[in-house]
Amino acid sequence: MGWKAAEKLIRHWKVLRGDNVMIIRGKDKGETGVVKRVVRSQNRVIVEGKNLVKKHIKAGEGHEGGIFTVEAPLHASNVQVVDPVTGRPCKVGIRYLEDGTKVRVSRGEGSSGSIIPRPEILKIRTTPRPTVAGPKDTPMDLVLKKTYDAKTGKGMPDL
């Protein structure tokens, strides 16, 4: 990617994986769906069951060939998050609650101004954290061992 293309990348994404969005342009205009994947390097999103195209795949080792129907990515400007109260597409704004938590709110013409909840799917890790220490993990007794004393300066390397 050249520097011109990098300049056009969206810096602050308003659409997240798992969001309920409405397609505002294209052949599926007016339909709603859930964002399956966000491709940030191309400013595109894949919506479940929308923007279906036929793909010709050549047979190879381990898979069969044929004509398959797949979901093609849509540009992020062609989808808008659906307002949870009104059910209409809306812009997304950021607000801070009294306790300091950052939330997304619906804004724009005909929106309710209500909080857009963070999708539950984002709370689930794609790769679970390891529960058992592996061969390259540092043992906990070495991690917790105090090797430097700030008052006496003991533990400082001689430079």
Side-chain angles (χ1 to χ4, degrees):
M1 173 190 330
W3 63 273
K4 279 278 194 199
E7 274 184 345
K8 294 177 182 174
L9 288 179
I10 298 171
R11 287 182 178 81
H12 305 289
W13 278 79
K14 308 288 186 181
V15 180
L16 302 173
R17 181 170 50 102
D19 269 342
N20 195 17
V21 295
M22 183 177 281
I23 299 170
I24 56 172
R25 283 189 201 92
K27 64 181 181 182
D28 292 326
K29 180 181 177 178
E31 295 182 23
T32 60
V34 178
V35 175
K36 190 176 180 181
R37 188 169 161 224
V38 176
V39 187
R40 291 181 183 225
S41 62
Q42 299 174 358
N43 288 345
R44 295 184 179 271
V45 294
I46 296 175
V47 182
E48 257 179 54
K50 305 295 177 218
N51 200 29
L52 298 173
V53 294
K54 300 277 188 188
K55 189 155 184 145
H56 297 254
I57 298 178
K58 192 175 178 181
E61 284 186 38
H63 64 84
E64 215 174 280
I67 301 170
F68 298 100
T69 305
V70 294
E71 297 147 343
L74 288 158
H75 196 271
S77 65
N78 295 338
V79 297
Q80 273 191 327
V81 177
V82 172
D83 190 328
V85 176
T86 62
R88 295 178 62 200
C90 66
K91 294 180 180 179
V92 178
I94 304 293
R95 297 276 182 273
Y96 291 92
L97 299 177
E98 289 81 31
D99 61 344
T101 55
K102 186 177 174 180
V103 293
R104 300 185 304 158
V105 293
S106 62
R107 61 183 202 87
E109 199 173 313
S111 68
S112 63
S114 62
I115 293 174
I116 301 169
R118 196 165 165 81
E120 290 293 320
I121 197 163
L122 293 178
K123 295 175 183 166
I124 303 165
R125 288 181 63 91
T126 53
T127 54
R129 288 195 175 107
T131 53
V132 180
K136 293 187 177 182
D137 290 333
T138 309
M140 280 309 288
D141 57 328
L142 288 176
V143 171
L144 298 173
K145 185 178 173 186
K146 189 173 181 181
T147 57
Y148 173 69
D149 186 21
K151 289 189 177 179
T152 61
K154 186 181 176 206
M156 276 293 286
D158 296 324
L159 299 176

